[in-house]
Amino acid sequence: MKNTIVVIIVLLLIVLGIYYFVSKSNYSAPMPVENSQTTTPPVVNNQQNTPPVGGTTATPPASVSVNIKNFVFGPATLNIKVGTKVTWTNNDNVAHTVTSDSGSMFDSGTLSPGESFSFTFTNPGSVSYHCNIHPMMKASVTVS
């Protein structure tokens, strides 16, 4: 009788051990959530932000990003200030271009997936642009 109880306990421990290891091997850690926006921690500056004598503090040039995805420039309409640098990034799975409608202001050439093109707008006005490969892709920039 004692031998039977010992055998049952040993079998029970073996079954529980197998269950434990099987359940652990099927566990997968949760996937991290992808965040499309990157947050930058604030910069701590212990110096006073006082303008130089006879002038004002210089504002760093602005920069704007345009996402090329699903055969669309996003955002399709930009309103920016003179001196703003715009960077287009091809996040699509096919090649695109970023070409001003006049063709003479800017032309990225062919941007393969993952590549970027930047242009700094130095004059006020409105500029329409498109993709030479996919002419239905259109957008515009208004510079003030």
Side-chain angles (χ1 to χ4, degrees), residues 17 22 29 42 49 74 93 95 103-104 108 112 129:
V22 168
N49 189 15
N93 57 2
S104 61
S108 66
S112 295
Y129 65 93

Side-chain angles (χ1 to χ4, degrees), residues 3 11-12 19 45 65 106 110 117 123-124 127 135 137:
N3 287 342
L11 288 175
L12 183 61
Y19 175 77
N45 185 354
S65 296
F106 57 85
T110 301
F117 166 73
N123 297 313
V127 180
M137 293 176 60

Side-chain angles (χ1 to χ4, degrees), residues 55-128:
T56 59
T57 57
T59 303
S63 64
V64 176
S65 296
V66 176
N67 184 31
I68 304 171
K69 183 75 174 162
N70 297 323
F71 296 86
V72 174
F73 295 107
T77 304
L78 287 177
N79 293 303
I80 61 173
K81 300 283 185 195
V82 169
T84 300
K85 176 181 173 182
V86 177
T87 300
W88 292 265
T89 302
N90 183 1
N91 291 310
D92 225 334
N93 57 2
V94 297
H96 293 289
T97 72
V98 179
T99 307
S100 63
D101 284 356
S102 69
S104 61
M105 182 176 272
F106 57 85
D107 184 0
S108 66
T110 301
L111 295 175
S112 295
E115 290 185 323
S116 296
F117 166 73
S118 296
F119 182 81
T120 301
F121 290 84
T122 56
N123 297 313
S126 291
V127 180
S128 295

